[in-house]
């Protein structure tokens, strides 16, 4: 792009030649006092009439860390003066990772005034990487079997989009590896035909590219785990419907039919303690098992993980959290706190704007689930027009019924090796039924807190026994109930 830009500026008469001079820190920074200004000036003079392209420019302010000589800063100061003195005879392009380049620009007031325009380069999508590889194959007179394109797409889907991801370089490496594998395959053939010499097959892509990964349970096993959960009938139906839709889309694609674009981002709305995080983790695993996501990890965040304390900090925090979730699911708990009611200048809105852009730039690489109370989540969606278009599907979680809460409580008690007497069971039913289902009601958390209180009181009771037996250690009695529930057991 830098080379093309130089050619365009030369064609428009803005630059004399438009040639490109590419440098890095080593070409600008010397190891002795005074040497850096000389090296930087010499390189700059080479670029006069064209473009000076500084790769990984942020390394110019990363050497001393506040101690000793900082020759990189000397290079920056020299560059700024030369750019001012020759502002009509050279174009300078500084390149590097987004976060590091933000720090680079903020390291010197003169940089932000000289570099007033930023062009953001996003990762290539899976389809674009496949096309790049196709073009490399065509340029070297190789043909691709139709199944090889599917194997390539699957291979690129599994590649993690972290700081080590090489984009076009990764595509070139994949192409070179394909040629190497094809050469090994041809060496085992006695009389390969001329067409064999140019044909690249799925097995040439990668050793595991044509077969599904075996790195977790399958969709049927995960759905069985979902339906084994207590309660949540409406949630189970909604998630199952989503899985059926994704499975049908996968089958249509395999049959060569057009597939609808499906948004996998979700709103989880409802009271706390209803299993939203557990369902989100299952949903992430389901998307991984269906090939929608390559890794399927769940990254859980809240407002404090996304919102910074000063200008520019929020975008950085949000991007870091988003990048951890690439290939999986970003779960934002109490998402409505990002847009406080009545607050017009809150850093949370910057987090929302950053999220929306990242969701668009990486729409096939991550799934975002925003969770919170029903009324507050409606207000959250209404706070920004982009939210409603990204989150087109809402899964509503309801309070557990008394029977479901008791089933949860008794199951947890059984897992811990406790038994409840019939009197305790009857008293608990009346106690749980009478609990108000307001904002303070914690559903499964409330059931767990009740059980923990009972276990604590039982421990105090048996502590007074000289030699408690096995039944004493296991049995929960009416005296172990919460004080409010005790009258109901009489």
């Amino acid at each position: 792009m830098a080379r093309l830009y130089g050619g365009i500026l030369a064609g428009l008469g803005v630059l004399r030649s438009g040639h490109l001079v590419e440098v890095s820190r080593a070409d600008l920074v010397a190891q002795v006092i005074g040497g850096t200004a000389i090296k930087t000036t010499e390189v700059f003079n080479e670029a006069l009439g064209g473009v000076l392209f500084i790769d990984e420019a942020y390394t110019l302010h990363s050497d001393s860390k506040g101690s000793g000589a900082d020759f990189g800063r000397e290079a920056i100061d020299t560059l700024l003066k030369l750019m001012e003195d020759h502002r009509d005879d050279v174009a300078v392009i500084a390149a590097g990772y987004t976060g590091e380049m933000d720090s680079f620009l903020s390291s010197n007031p003169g940089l932000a005034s000289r570099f007033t325009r930023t062009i953001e380069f996003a990762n290539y999508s899976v389809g674009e990487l496949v096309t790049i590889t196709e073009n490399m194959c065509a340029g070297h007179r190789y043909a691709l079997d139709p199944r090889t394109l599917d194997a390539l797409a699957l291979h690129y889907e599994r590649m993690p989009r972290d700081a080590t991801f090489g984009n076009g370089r990764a595509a070139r490496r994949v192409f070179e590896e394909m040629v190497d594998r094809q050469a090994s395959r041809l060496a085992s053939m006695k009389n390969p035909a001329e067409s064999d010499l140019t044909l690249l097959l799925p097995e040439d892509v990668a050793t595991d590219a044509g077969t599904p990964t075996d790195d977790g349970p399958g969709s049927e096993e995960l759905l069985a785990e979902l339906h084994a959960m207590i309660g949540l009938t409406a949630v189970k139906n909604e998630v199952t419907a989503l899985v059926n839709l994704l499975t049908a889309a996968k089958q249509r694609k395999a049959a060569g039919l057009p597939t609808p674009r499906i948004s996998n981002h979700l709103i989880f709305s409802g009271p706390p303690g209803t299993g939203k995080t557990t369902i989100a983790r299952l949903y992430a695993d389901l998307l991984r098992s269906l090939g929608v996501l390559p890794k399927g990890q769940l990254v859980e965040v809240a407002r404090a993980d996304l919102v910074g304390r000063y200008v520019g900090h929020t975008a950085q925090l949000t991007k870091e959290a988003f990048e951890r979730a690439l290939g999986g699911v970003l779960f934002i708990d109490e998402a409505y706190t990002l847009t406080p009611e009545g607050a017009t200048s809150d850093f949370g809105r910057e987090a929302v704007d950053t999220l929306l852009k990242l969701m668009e730039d990486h729409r096939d690489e991550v799934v975002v689930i925003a969770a919170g109370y029903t009324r507050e989540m409606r207000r959250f969606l209404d706070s920004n027009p982009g939210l409603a278009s990204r989150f087109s599907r809402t899964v509503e979680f309801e309070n557990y019924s008394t029977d479901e809460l008791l089933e949860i409580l008794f199951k947890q008690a059984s897992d811990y090796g406790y038994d409840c007497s019939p009197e305790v069971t009857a008293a608990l039913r009346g106690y749980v039924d009478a609990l108000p289902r307001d904002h303070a009601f914690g559903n499964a958390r409330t059931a767990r807190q009740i059980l923990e209180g009972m276990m604590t009181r039982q421990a105090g009771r048996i502590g007074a026994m000289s030699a408690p037996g096995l039944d004493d250690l296991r049995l929960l009695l009416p005296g172990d109930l919460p004080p409010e529930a005790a009258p109901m057991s009489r």
Side-chain angles (χ1 to χ4, degrees):
M1 281 296 174
R3 191 171 286 108
L4 282 170
Y5 182 59
I8 290 169
L9 292 181
L12 294 171
V14 178
L15 294 176
R16 286 181 283 121
S17 62
H19 67 287
L20 184 79
V21 175
E22 183 178 356
V23 297
S24 62
R25 176 187 165 87
D27 302 300
L28 302 174
V29 178
Q31 301 303 314
V32 294
I33 296 174
T36 293
I38 296 172
K39 288 186 75 172
T40 302
T41 302
E42 289 174 350
V43 166
F44 194 93
N45 288 336
E46 288 179 32
L48 288 176
V51 174
L52 178 64
F53 181 80
I54 309 172
D55 200 13
E56 296 182 337
Y58 53 85
T59 59
L60 292 176
H61 77 100
S62 63
D63 49 350
S64 71
K65 303 296 182 184
S67 62
D70 191 345
F71 295 136
R73 293 189 182 276
E74 184 184 351
I76 292 174
D77 294 339
T78 305
L79 275 171
L80 290 175
K81 185 178 186 308
L82 290 168
M83 288 168 70
E84 181 62 28
D85 294 345
H86 302 275
R87 57 183 176 273
D88 296 326
D89 199 25
V90 73
V92 179
I93 298 175
Y97 293 116
T98 303
E100 285 82 347
M101 290 306 293
D102 290 340
S103 300
F104 171 70
L105 289 177
S106 62
S107 68
N108 188 312
L111 288 170
S113 64
R114 299 301 193 290
F115 297 98
T116 58
R117 191 185 299 270
T118 297
I119 298 176
E120 184 74 29
F121 286 70
N123 281 322
Y124 285 116
S125 68
V126 170
E128 289 165 345
L129 288 167
V130 171
T131 302
I132 290 170
T133 309
E134 276 189 282
N135 292 339
M136 289 180 181
C137 292
H140 290 80
R141 306 287 183 88
Y142 286 99
L144 291 172
D145 185 282
R147 296 170 300 152
T148 309
L149 295 176
D150 293 334
L152 275 171
L154 183 59
H155 186 56
Y156 285 128
E157 283 172 3
R158 292 174 181 168
M159 281 188 176
R161 300 299 200 268
D162 53 19
T164 64
F165 182 61
N167 285 288
R169 294 174 194 155
R172 182 169 64 248
R173 187 178 67 251
V174 167
F175 166 70
E176 291 170 353
E177 290 172 352
M178 289 170 65
V179 173
D180 287 344
R181 288 192 180 91
Q182 188 227 34
S184 298
R185 180 169 54 80
L186 292 174
S188 63
M189 299 171 62
K190 287 187 177 180
N191 294 303
E194 186 175 343
S195 59
D196 294 324
L197 300 176
T198 59
L199 187 63
L200 295 173
L201 299 176
E203 52 263 40
D204 299 326
V205 176
T207 54
D208 62 344
T211 58
T213 55
D214 185 21
D215 53 1
S219 58
E220 291 184 5
E221 187 178 344
L222 291 166
L223 282 174
E225 183 180 344
L226 170 69
H227 288 285
M229 293 178 67
I230 297 168
L232 304 175
T233 302
V235 174
K236 292 173 182 176
N237 292 338
E238 185 70 26
V239 173
T240 302
L242 273 169
V243 171
N244 290 339
L245 181 62
L246 292 168
T247 302
K250 186 177 180 181
Q251 292 168 341
R252 287 177 61 86
K253 181 179 179 180
L257 296 171
T259 56
R261 182 166 184 79
I262 301 169
S263 175
N264 299 309
H265 306 305
L266 297 175
I267 293 289
F268 280 5
S269 64
T274 47
K276 290 191 282 289
T277 305
T278 302
I279 296 296
R281 189 169 288 108
L282 268 173
Y283 183 60
D285 274 339
L286 281 164
L287 293 179
R288 188 265 316 151
S289 69
L290 293 169
V292 177
L293 294 174
K295 294 190 287 186
Q297 80 281 14
L298 184 79
V299 175
E300 184 176 357
V301 296
R303 176 186 166 92
D305 302 300
L306 303 176
V307 178
R309 296 178 299 278
Y310 51 85
V311 175
H313 191 209
T314 293
Q316 177 187 342
L317 285 177
T318 302
K319 185 179 179 185
E320 288 172 356
F322 194 92
E323 287 177 344
R324 290 199 305 274
L326 286 175
V329 170
L330 179 65
F331 181 79
I332 310 173
D333 200 14
E334 296 182 337
Y336 55 85
T337 60
L338 295 176
T339 55
E341 197 167 10
T344 55
S345 58
D346 184 86
F347 289 143
R349 297 185 183 275
E350 182 186 352
V352 171
D353 293 337
T354 305
L355 273 173
L356 290 174
K357 184 179 186 306
L358 290 168
M359 289 168 70
E360 180 62 27
D361 293 344
H362 304 274
R363 55 186 176 271
D364 297 325
E365 300 172 54
V366 75
V367 168
V368 178
I369 299 176
Y373 292 112
T374 301
R375 185 181 67 82
E376 285 83 347
M377 290 307 292
R378 291 198 193 102
R379 178 182 59 75
F380 171 70
L381 289 177
D382 293 339
S383 68
N384 188 313
L387 288 169
S389 63
R390 300 301 194 289
F391 297 98
S392 57
R393 191 184 296 265
T394 297
V395 179
E396 187 69 36
F397 288 69
E398 298 178 349
N399 284 317
Y400 286 112
S401 68
T402 297
D403 287 339
E404 290 166 348
L405 284 170
L406 289 175
E407 188 178 352
I408 290 170
L409 191 152
F410 294 146
K411 184 180 184 304
Q412 289 178 346
S414 177
D415 290 342
Y416 292 143
Y418 288 92
D419 296 323
C420 294
S421 68
E423 296 85 0
V424 166
T425 302
L428 278 175
R429 178 174 296 278
Y431 175 64
V432 171
D433 203 36
L435 290 173
R437 271 36 174 197
D438 54 16
H439 260 34
F441 185 64
N443 283 287
R445 295 175 197 161
T446 298
R448 185 172 63 249
Q449 289 165 358
I450 293 171
L451 177 61
E452 287 173 355
M454 293 172 66
M455 291 188 298
T456 301
R457 282 183 284 275
Q458 189 239 35
R461 177 170 54 80
I462 64 175
M465 297 181 182
S466 57
L470 182 61
D471 289 342
D472 295 319
L473 294 171
R474 293 181 60 92
L475 195 61
L476 296 171
L477 299 175
D480 305 324
L481 288 165
E484 309 91 313
M488 301 176 189
S489 63
R490 291 172 187 157

